[in-house]
Amino acid sequence: QVDLVESGGGLVQAGGSLGLSCAAGGSIFKISDMAWYRQAPGDQRKFVAQISDDSATTYADSVKGRFTISRDNAKNTVYLQMNSLKPEDTAVYICAMNVVPWSHRWGPFKDYYGPGTQVTVSS
């Protein structure tokens, strides 16, 4: 069993900063890619940022230069530092990891998602 739990969401004024973290718990054999998505009310889930196991990063155009994704492999944790926040960044932020559980260590990677954490940016 693998569980992802996000933390760090909240309310911030436009122009402010917020940091999110997401830790994977359970019996984990290995993790490759880690990523963040977001979903605004009435909208589809959208990609925000991704970091590979060799720390290569990819960002959505809408957050480039403002958001930074990082990871701590020893803690099975991914972070998202969000600066210069805008009201349109308001959404539920969801972390995702590509994981091989210990119980299936000879099997393929599988995607796991956290429940999400609310980020609200006021104008």
Side-chain angles (χ1 to χ4, degrees):
Q1 180 73 13
V2 175
D3 296 299
L4 275 56
V5 180
E6 301 96 342
S7 61
L11 174 65
V12 63
Q13 288 188 331
S17 298
L18 208 57
L20 305 180
S21 62
C22 172
S27 186
I28 296 169
F29 183 59
K30 55 184 174 181
I31 302 174
S32 61
D33 297 339
M34 298 180 176
W36 288 95
Y37 294 83
R38 66 187 182 185
Q39 187 166 16
D43 202 0
Q44 293 182 337
R45 181 178 297 182
K46 294 182 179 178
F47 169 78
V48 174
Q50 177 178 292
I51 184 166
S52 68
D53 53 2
D54 62 355
S55 295
T57 58
T58 306
Y59 295 94
D61 288 343
S62 59
V63 306
K64 276 181 184 176
R66 300 188 298 121
F67 290 12
T68 302
I69 189 171
S70 60
R71 63 190 286 167
D72 184 333
N73 293 327
K75 296 181 179 179
N76 290 336
T77 299
V78 62
Y79 305 94
L80 186 68
Q81 178 62 38
M82 305 182 291
N83 299 326
S84 302
L85 283 160
K86 305 175 182 180
E88 51 264 43
D89 294 319
T90 295
V92 174
Y93 283 71
I94 302 157
C95 72
M97 296 188 190
N98 205 223
V99 179
V100 175
W102 185 260
S103 60
H104 295 81
R105 59 192 178 275
W106 307 117
F109 285 95
K110 179 182 174 182
D111 290 332
Y112 289 83
Y113 296 88
T117 185
Q118 177 69 46
V119 171
T120 303
V121 184
S122 63
S123 57

